[in-house]
Amino acid sequence: MAEDRAQPTAKRLCSRPFPASRASQKPAPTGRTQQPESLLDASAKMVAEKWPFQQVEERFSRIPEPVQRRIVYWSFPRNEREICMYSSFNYYSPEETAAAAAAAAAAAGGAAVPGDDENRLPFRRGIKLLESGCVENVLQVGFHLSGTVTEPGTQSEPEMIYRVAISFDRCKITSVTCGCGNKDIFYCAHVVALSLYRIRKADQVKLRLPISETLFQMNRDQLQKFIQYLITAHHTEVLPTAQKLADEILSSNSEINQVHGAPDPTAGASIDDENCWHLDEEQVREQVKQFLSQGGYYGSGKQLNSMFAKVREMLKMRDSNGARMLTLITEQFMADPRLSLWRQQGTGMTDKCRQLWDELGALWVCIVLNPHCKPDEKVSWLRQLKKWNDMDVCPLEDGNYGNELPNITNALPQSSNQNQESLARPRRTVFTRAMEACDLHWQDSHLQRIISSDFYASPSYQRESESLLFNVHGQPLWLEHVPTACARVDALRSHGYPKEALRLAVAIINTLRLQQQRQLEIYKHQKKELLHRGVTTITNLEGWVGHPLDPIGCLFITLTEACRLDDESCMDTADSSSDLKPATYQHVVVSGYLDSNESYLTLAMEVALMGMGQQRVMPEGLYAQDKVCRNEEQIIFKLQELELDEMLVQVLRKQSVILLEGGPFSGLGEVIHRESVPMHTFAKYLFSALLSHDADLAYKLALRAMRLPVLESTSHAGDVSHPHHIVSVVPSRYPRWFTLGHLESQQCELASTMLTAAKGDMLRLRTVLEAIRKNIHSSSLIFKLAQDAFKIATPADIPPDITLLNVALELGLQVMRMTLSTLNWRRREMVRWLVTCATEVGVRALVSILQSWYTLFTPTEATSIVAATVTSHNTILRLNLDYTQREELASCARTLALQCAMKDPQNCALSALTLCEKDHIAFETAYQIVIDAASTGMTYSQLFTIARYMEHRGYPLRAFKLASLAMTHLNLAYNQDTHPAINDVLWACALSHSLGKNELAAIIPLVVKSVQCATVLSDILRRCTMTAPGLAGIPGRRNSGKLMSTDKAPLRQLLDATIGAYINTTHSRLTHISPRHYGEFIEFLSKARETFLMAQDGHIQFAQFIDNLKQIYKGKKKLMMLVRERFG
């Protein structure tokens, strides 16, 4: 609010003077309970609140001065809550709507305002200033209050004194001015301090009649002296204005002389003035625009929700600024540039922004349903709503451009076989429901009687017959589209008619009870047929949970508000409580009811259970589906605030039984629609609430709710844990279930809750386990359940619960089977966990998974993870196994290893050999499997690895055989001098050389055939000539100790192959050689010469080789010159 601008001019002109009564009378002291209020004060209060002062003047020819003073005295606001409402966003009165508070908490992450922040609010600061004695020089002149407020100094700022002026009329502040220059929507702390001073210390305020009356009492000399003193005191500010006015008054033709009377800023309002609290419209626009521009950051969503809450607070106080402020907010929302951007790009708005638009639309429904609004106001609102509705950028009701929900005034039938396309409606925006609500009225006589009296009932002689107006107990019913009827309740509550809202809410609940009873009767006649079919087409196409008007939430809040215990003293002190305390409730008997077991709290519980248990089809679109989930969680959160006592448990038990027996009208009935909204979250609440009171009923409900029919109609054997599987699971669904992942996680939470509660009860655990197997289709969720059960079953400080451990193991086994043939990035984690779980269960579980490995694991997993872990030293110590048990596990592991090696020798042979080391027969069998597979399915690298293992285990001849087999699979080209297999080839040759001449003679032909790389061959040749063969000392063999000659076999063959490889490699390199590689090539020839010289006539062969190069490549002059320089 721009509080530093000049004081506005007077609203009316005063020409008739006040009566010249000279008597002076101070206001009578207030607050004396021992004396009745005087007739003068009683009448002055009413006049001051209802009549503009001009009307008082014109109505009576002469008004005594004491009467004038009492009217002026009582014209200032008397309720501190009104001052608070206009000086703080964050104050929530005890009767503040819980819906607005919940919406604000959801958009802001649920955070409450800390105490320090609350103390910085203008209202709290104003109280502190008042209590610190900072308000002085308070003077009331007519309908104008002024004073000074001292802002105490701080370390960084000096003490400041601000002049404050307030105009008021009919108990409302109409304008404020403060020297602090504060720019905000609501009043600053200085205005608050002065206002509260006037309310709390009214008798200490100097009271004067309007200034025009004082001026009338002066003669000409006094008037001249008054004006000259006034100009002298403020000559720098008013002298130009004073001179201008003097010139106009002295001019007979001036405009000022054509008007009768003169303005008086202290004389109150005229008859034509609108009576409303001061609200700075420009600041409202600016702040909303600023919050929207921040796009949900910096707490802007919280601030906008606070503004919506402030609108509701104004409506509750029946303040006309509520609709005015909402209009200003809506104008800025519609001017948000992101709307056109989202429309052009075809993208949806953010979730937080969408929630703000929902609240905006709901508030407009509330505004237009004001039961006491004037017809012209409703016409004006409808015109404005239509204007916004017709704009292209106006957001649609369901968040997308698909089919929308039905008309607000038309209830859909309970069943429909029509095609979905036939249900399409015209374009529906967030304002459509408010526009439709403009057609609703409150003139129905039955409706008026319902909201007017707690004792409205039908005559007793009419109660046996069917009636659309009353039930069999004579209680009134209200047959209207349920969300529309609940919108009426919300409007009554929001506009400050809580009793009327309660009466209508009770009538609606009685109607819902009757409908529920009739639905049960219908189902009884259809039960046999529906159970035979196993599916139903009967469902509600319009659900109450997730509905834009939130009918269930509205009824619940209305009823619980009547039972809420609150601390009313929150405004009385400056250091009020820091955090919002949880609500507490007490039973309040329904007015007009003879049954003392019926309270507003039991009705609230009952209607919440009815709404949550309603079977309804999943709406279309991501936002609508997300809203169903979010609204469901909000209602459950409110239910959890209620402390369950005998009466509430009775309602809980009764409604649970009805829901179980409700057939297709209940989401927990025996037969439901394939696309019905799942009941997992709701059932989890019911299970937890009923468990300690009726365990059988709790389990029956939860087990019934475990189903997820939308996934049951297709047989999909694979894993659907990946989100992309949603399309394949529901191929015919349009649009898709965007929240399927969330729904499946809630299904998992329900199952986990039951598993935890059933700990130690094998029968119940088996029942829950079967439900999990039947209904949960995601391997990752079943794995999570298995992990949860394992954690609960194995607490740190007490022995494990074997029943729950067995359930965890069975779930783990199911996960293994589900993911055996599919790709899953968590597979290795799952396998390791299963072995851990089986270890906790015991040795029989380990034996079982080893024996049935082929249904659970791949051969690689079975050998490298499962068998290796089971036979490890840690497992033996963990289970404290005796010799027999250890041998049994080892035998099973060996059997598994051999089976895996037969099935997948490439990946399992080495592991099989390792596992069979301690059993000679098994080891020989594993070795034979490797030999048999070597010629067909195994690579040289796998064979080399196993060969090195054999050497390490002390089987050099077997290692040699495997290395020889590996060499037959290898092929090294002339230019592969960095191939990873080179080390294996060198090792194989070294092994053969160490075994003896025969083995070396056997391996060299294989090397010559497989290796064409000259440098590798020369390396092998050099190593073989450095030491004598047969140094390994094989028993039964004699070693001559002589070095082998390159002129004799087998090295002669290797030498020839090496020289040939150098010659071939040289020609290959010269074909595409570049000058930058000349130096490297000369070094290569030097190495070649070393190999050539190992032959008897090597120098001759090398000389001939060089001559051939010179002749063939004589065109490469520079290169040949380098060759001559080095080699002649």
Side-chain angles (χ1 to χ4, degrees):
M1 170 183 304
E3 295 177 351
D4 55 345
R5 62 177 181 267
Q7 179 73 23
T9 57
K11 294 184 179 178
R12 67 186 183 92
L13 303 176
C14 296
S15 58
R16 186 180 70 83
F18 284 85
S21 173
R22 301 287 180 181
S24 175
Q25 179 181 337
K26 289 187 178 181
T30 58
R32 294 181 180 176
T33 55
Q34 68 273 20
Q35 292 183 354
E37 188 175 44
S38 69
L39 183 59
L40 172 61
D41 276 326
S43 57
K45 272 187 182 179
M46 295 302 297
V47 170
E49 187 175 354
K50 303 294 183 184
W51 285 25
F53 199 72
Q54 183 182 9
Q55 186 177 357
V56 177
E57 292 178 305
E58 293 178 357
R59 175 68 177 79
F60 303 101
S61 58
R62 176 180 175 82
I63 307 172
E65 184 175 320
V67 176
Q68 294 179 43
R69 286 183 174 274
R70 298 315 290 167
I71 293 174
V72 170
Y73 175 87
W74 290 113
S75 290
F76 196 83
R78 308 158 201 166
N79 192 342
E80 291 188 13
R81 182 160 294 162
E82 294 173 322
I83 306 300
C84 179
M85 183 169 69
Y86 278 91
S87 59
S88 170
F89 259 144
N90 304 75
Y91 168 68
Y92 291 94
S93 65
E95 296 84 11
E96 185 70 47
T97 74
V113 181
D116 291 342
D117 291 342
E118 197 169 289
N119 288 334
R120 286 197 293 267
L121 298 176
F123 185 76
R124 302 294 177 197
R125 288 182 52 232
I127 291 177
K128 279 192 172 182
L129 290 172
L130 173 63
E131 293 177 347
S132 302
C134 298
V135 183
E136 297 175 319
N137 306 318
V138 182
L139 173 66
Q140 179 179 340
V141 179
F143 298 87
H144 183 274
L145 182 71
S146 62
T148 59
V149 179
T150 303
E151 186 77 56
T154 63
Q155 292 181 350
S156 57
E157 295 181 1
E159 179 182 280
M160 298 292 292
I161 298 177
Y162 299 111
R163 295 182 179 275
V164 184
I166 300 173
S167 296
F168 52 91
D169 169 48
R170 283 169 277 182
C171 300
K172 294 182 178 68
I173 291 176
T174 55
S175 70
V176 297
T177 305
C178 181
C180 70
N182 176 62
K183 291 184 179 295
D184 200 351
I185 295 178
F186 298 123
Y187 307 156
C188 66
H190 314 111
V191 172
V192 171
L194 181 60
S195 302
L196 295 182
Y197 186 97
R198 172 59 178 78
I199 293 173
R200 296 184 181 185
K201 303 179 180 182
D203 292 341
Q204 299 178 26
V205 176
K206 298 177 183 177
L207 179 63
R208 301 288 186 270
L209 292 179
I211 193 67
S212 53
E213 162 61 12
T214 305
L215 294 177
F216 178 78
Q217 297 173 12
M218 298 181 185
N219 57 32
R220 184 187 181 286
D221 292 340
Q222 288 173 323
L223 283 171
Q224 183 169 359
K225 181 178 291 188
F226 169 76
I227 293 170
Q228 287 182 222
Y229 268 98
L230 181 64
I231 293 172
T232 301
H234 304 283
H235 65 277
T236 56
E237 292 91 354
V238 304
L239 188 57
T241 305
Q243 186 59 55
K244 178 184 176 184
L245 290 174
D247 292 342
E248 290 184 6
I249 289 173
L250 292 174
S251 173
S252 58
N253 298 325
S254 64
E255 183 179 350
I256 199 172
N257 285 323
Q258 309 302 317
V259 178
H260 184 62
D264 181 359
T266 66
S270 66
I271 296 174
D272 300 328
D273 286 344
E274 185 180 0
N275 181 227
C276 61
W277 284 79
H278 173 69
L279 182 69
D280 194 322
E281 295 188 0
E282 188 58 37
Q283 283 302 313
V284 173
R285 293 190 186 97
E286 283 301 316
Q287 290 215 7
V288 176
K289 184 177 179 181
Q290 178 186 349
F291 294 148
L292 287 173
S293 68
Q294 292 170 359
Y297 299 104
Y298 312 113
S300 59
K302 179 182 176 181
Q303 293 294 338
L304 287 167
N305 270 295
S306 295
M307 294 184 80
F308 288 145
K310 187 59 64 176
V311 171
R312 286 192 178 272
E313 189 180 347
M314 290 175 173
L315 296 181
K316 183 163 286 190
M317 301 289 285
R318 302 178 194 175
D319 188 337
S320 60
N321 276 341
R324 183 175 160 208
M325 184 171 175
L326 187 61
T327 302
L328 298 172
I329 294 172
T330 308
E331 287 172 351
Q332 294 307 306
F333 266 66
M334 291 301 297
D336 189 347
R338 293 178 297 171
L339 291 178
S340 57
L341 186 65
W342 286 326
R343 183 176 175 81
Q344 291 168 8
Q345 295 177 345
T347 56
M349 63 178 66
T350 62
D351 189 57
K352 285 186 178 180
C353 193
R354 183 71 239 183
Q355 291 177 43
L356 291 171
W357 275 102
D358 279 353
E359 178 64 11
L360 188 71
L363 275 171
W364 273 113
V365 172
C366 190
I367 292 284
V368 300
L369 275 179
N370 181 355
H372 293 100
C373 75
K374 300 174 183 176
D376 56 334
E377 284 181 326
K378 187 175 284 190
V379 169
S380 172
W381 290 332
L382 180 59
R383 189 185 308 115
Q384 184 63 65
L385 289 168
K386 284 182 177 178
K387 178 183 174 183
W388 290 327
N389 182 79
D390 293 340
M391 295 173 68
D392 290 338
V393 296
C394 186
L396 300 184
E397 182 177 63
D398 63 352
N400 59 36
Y401 292 91
N403 295 332
E404 280 85 27
L405 293 170
N407 187 289
I408 187 174
T409 53
N410 297 328
L412 278 178
Q414 291 293 331
S415 63
S416 174
N417 296 320
Q418 298 175 338
N419 195 320
Q420 279 197 352
E421 279 72 15
S422 67
L423 297 175
R425 295 291 188 272
R427 175 176 176 267
R428 294 179 62 82
T429 72
V430 292
F431 300 115
T432 302
R433 291 186 181 273
M435 291 162 56
E436 293 167 353
C438 290
D439 297 331
L440 301 174
H441 61 81
W442 296 84
Q443 277 72 49
D444 184 272
S445 59
H446 181 58
L447 176 61
Q448 286 295 322
R449 290 190 183 100
I450 288 174
I451 65 177
S452 300
S453 172
D454 291 326
F455 304 99
Y456 177 47
S458 66
S460 57
Y461 61 85
Q462 293 181 356
R463 295 181 184 178
E464 298 300 323
S465 59
E466 284 284 328
S467 170
L468 295 176
L469 303 181
F470 302 92
N471 62 15
V472 293
H473 303 294
Q475 297 158 341
L477 307 174
W478 180 242
L479 293 172
E480 189 176 29
H481 178 222
V482 173
T484 307
C486 295
R488 290 184 185 272
V489 174
D490 186 39
L492 287 168
R493 191 182 100 260
S494 298
H495 287 280
Y497 302 99
K499 291 183 180 179
E500 291 82 352
L502 273 175
R503 291 163 186 156
L504 183 55
V506 172
I508 293 170
I509 293 172
N510 286 330
T511 309
L512 294 178
R513 283 173 169 171
L514 183 61
Q515 289 177 354
Q516 191 180 57
Q517 180 183 344
R518 289 177 179 173
Q519 287 170 352
L520 281 171
E521 292 170 359
I522 293 171
Y523 173 58
K524 286 177 182 177
H525 294 93
Q526 301 175 345
K527 183 173 183 178
K528 187 174 181 181
E529 178 190 351
L530 287 173
L531 290 178
H532 177 72
R533 287 204 317 244
V535 69
T536 179
T537 56
I538 302 173
T539 186
N540 295 285
L541 296 179
E542 184 184 39
W544 299 333
V545 175
H547 192 281
L549 296 177
D550 189 18
I552 301 302
C554 167
L555 291 177
F556 186 88
I557 292 167
T558 302
L559 293 162
T560 52
E561 274 184 348
C563 308
R564 185 167 176 167
L565 295 171
D566 288 295
D567 182 11
E568 295 279 352
S569 62
C570 55
M571 289 199 312
D572 296 338
T573 59
D575 358 301
S576 143
S577 61
S578 54
D579 294 333
L580 296 175
K581 297 178 181 178
T584 53
Y585 301 93
Q586 64 179 2
H587 285 284
V588 176
V589 177
V590 178
S591 300
Y593 273 38
L594 299 177
D595 185 1
S596 60
N597 289 326
E598 196 92 281
S599 74
Y600 291 120
L601 212 53
T602 60
L603 291 181
M605 167 74 79
E606 185 175 358
V607 77
L609 299 180
M610 279 185 186
M612 296 281 287
Q614 176 204 32
Q615 188 191 170
R616 54 204 183 271
V617 97
M618 179 66 79
E620 298 176 4
L622 169 61
Y623 179 73
Q625 293 174 16
D626 181 64
K627 190 172 181 181
V628 168
C629 300
R630 189 170 57 248
N631 192 207
E632 189 175 43
E633 289 167 359
Q634 288 170 349
I635 295 173
I636 288 175
F637 177 77
K638 294 167 188 170
L639 281 170
Q640 288 170 337
E641 288 185 335
L642 304 182
E643 186 176 345
L644 295 179
D645 57 15
E646 182 83 22
M647 292 172 66
L648 292 180
V649 170
Q650 187 178 348
V651 172
L652 196 64
R653 188 182 279 118
K654 177 185 174 184
Q655 267 303 311
S656 297
V657 171
I658 291 175
L659 289 173
L660 284 172
E661 298 174 353
F665 303 102
S666 164
L668 292 168
E670 289 181 85
V671 182
I672 59 172
H673 192 276
R674 174 177 173 266
E675 296 176 10
S676 177
V677 173
M679 296 282 117
H680 308 133
T681 309
F682 179 44
K684 182 183 171 186
Y685 164 75
L686 291 176
F687 179 82
S688 301
L690 281 169
L691 187 62
S692 58
H693 305 284
D694 192 337
D696 291 336
L697 181 59
Y699 277 100
K700 189 175 181 181
L701 272 168
L703 291 169
R704 176 77 61 82
M706 276 293 292
R707 60 198 171 188
L708 191 54
V710 74
L711 297 182
E712 299 295 340
S713 57
T714 55
S715 56
H716 187 72
D719 181 19
V720 296
S721 59
H722 196 278
H724 293 301
H725 284 97
I726 294 174
V727 182
S728 61
V729 172
V730 197
S732 61
R733 170 74 183 165
Y734 179 80
R736 292 175 297 163
W737 280 34
F738 296 95
T739 55
L740 186 59
H742 171 76
L743 296 173
E744 286 187 291
S745 68
Q746 290 300 306
Q747 183 187 35
C748 178
E749 288 290 327
L750 173 60
S752 181
T753 304
M754 284 195 286
L755 285 175
T756 305
K759 179 179 177 181
D761 188 335
M762 198 60 219
L763 183 61
R764 290 207 192 278
L765 282 173
R766 282 288 163 197
T767 310
V768 177
L769 181 61
E770 287 305 313
I772 292 170
R773 286 173 170 168
K774 179 182 177 182
N775 296 296
I776 299 184
H777 305 275
S778 166
S779 61
S780 59
L781 291 177
I782 297 177
F783 182 51
K784 181 182 182 300
L785 280 174
Q787 289 177 306
D788 290 347
F790 181 77
K791 288 177 184 175
I792 298 165
T794 55
D797 49 349
I798 59 175
D801 182 89
I802 195 65
T803 57
L804 195 53
L805 259 182
N806 279 310
V807 170
L809 179 63
E810 292 196 41
L811 289 172
L813 294 174
Q814 183 179 347
V815 172
M816 291 297 101
R817 297 186 193 101
M818 291 177 70
T819 59
L820 180 59
S821 58
T822 59
L823 294 175
N824 192 304
W825 63 275
R826 299 185 66 189
R827 174 73 186 178
R828 288 184 67 84
E829 177 194 354
M830 293 172 174
V831 173
R832 292 183 186 280
W833 178 88
L834 182 73
V835 177
T836 304
C837 183
T839 304
E840 289 295 325
V841 174
V843 68
R844 301 319 309 163
L846 292 174
V847 170
S848 175
I849 65 172
L850 289 175
Q851 291 176 343
S852 58
W853 70 267
Y854 46 87
T855 65
L856 304 171
F857 315 109
T858 64
T860 307
E861 293 168 345
T863 53
S864 64
I865 301 176
V866 180
T869 307
V870 168
T871 56
S872 68
H873 185 63
N874 288 338
T875 303
I876 294 172
L877 288 178
R878 177 74 181 86
L879 294 177
N880 194 23
L881 301 178
D882 57 27
Y883 176 78
T884 306
Q885 291 173 321
R886 289 201 299 271
E887 281 304 304
E888 183 182 14
L889 278 181
S891 175
C892 289
R894 288 192 293 269
T895 304
L896 174 149
L898 294 175
Q899 292 172 343
C900 292
M902 287 289 290
K903 190 171 183 179
D904 186 6
Q906 298 95 330
N907 297 310
C908 300
L910 182 58
S911 297
L913 287 166
T914 306
L915 289 166
C916 296
E917 283 176 354
K918 296 180 180 179
D919 187 281
H920 177 70
I921 297 174
F923 187 80
E924 291 298 321
T925 306
Y927 173 69
Q928 192 56 47
I929 292 172
V930 175
I931 297 299
D932 294 342
S935 59
T936 54
M938 300 188 72
T939 65
Y940 63 84
S941 62
Q942 291 168 339
L943 289 169
F944 274 130
T945 303
I946 298 172
R948 285 176 180 263
Y949 163 79
M950 283 296 184
E951 185 198 29
H952 178 69
R953 300 303 302 171
Y955 301 104
L957 292 175
R958 292 184 177 185
F960 167 74
K961 185 173 182 179
L962 290 167
S964 301
L965 290 171
M967 290 299 299
T968 63
H969 292 71
L970 180 63
N971 183 25
L972 278 181
Y974 76 92
N975 57 350
Q976 291 182 298
D977 52 358
T978 58
H979 195 281
I982 290 174
N983 285 332
D984 289 325
V985 173
L986 295 175
W987 169 82
C989 292
L991 174 66
S992 305
H993 185 267
S994 68
L995 291 174
K997 185 176 180 179
N998 293 336
E999 284 76 13
L1000 186 60
I1003 199 81
I1004 282 178
L1006 298 176
V1007 172
V1008 170
K1009 183 179 178 181
S1010 301
V1011 180
Q1012 285 82 44
C1013 184
T1015 54
V1016 176
L1017 289 171
S1018 64
D1019 195 4
I1020 295 171
L1021 182 62
R1022 186 172 60 255
R1023 294 184 186 209
C1024 289
T1025 57
M1026 290 174 66
T1027 58
L1031 295 181
I1034 300 299
R1037 293 192 183 184
R1038 295 178 63 186
N1039 179 18
S1040 63
K1042 295 180 181 180
L1043 296 176
M1044 295 181 68
S1045 171
T1046 56
D1047 293 333
K1048 298 178 181 180
L1051 294 188
R1052 180 65 192 183
Q1053 184 184 1
L1054 180 58
L1055 176 59
D1056 291 342
T1058 306
I1059 292 173
Y1062 269 117
I1063 292 172
N1064 292 333
T1065 303
T1066 299
H1067 287 296
S1068 297
R1069 294 182 69 168
L1070 284 172
T1071 304
H1072 302 291
I1073 196 167
S1074 62
R1076 62 193 181 93
H1077 294 129
Y1078 285 173
E1080 182 184 334
F1081 179 73
I1082 296 299
E1083 293 302 321
F1084 174 76
L1085 286 180
S1086 300
K1087 292 180 180 178
R1089 181 170 61 179
E1090 293 175 5
T1091 302
F1092 273 79
L1093 293 177
M1094 295 178 75
Q1096 285 187 350
D1097 57 348
H1099 63 285
I1100 299 173
Q1101 290 185 48
F1102 186 73
Q1104 290 175 348
F1105 174 53
I1106 294 298
D1107 289 341
N1108 287 337
L1109 290 180
K1110 294 175 185 176
Q1111 186 65 30
I1112 296 171
Y1113 301 102
K1114 58 185 178 182
K1116 299 182 183 294
K1117 295 179 181 179
K1118 186 176 180 181
L1119 177 60
M1120 291 302 109
M1121 182 183 68
L1122 293 173
V1123 171
R1124 288 191 197 97
E1125 288 178 358
R1126 176 68 68 93
F1127 305 108

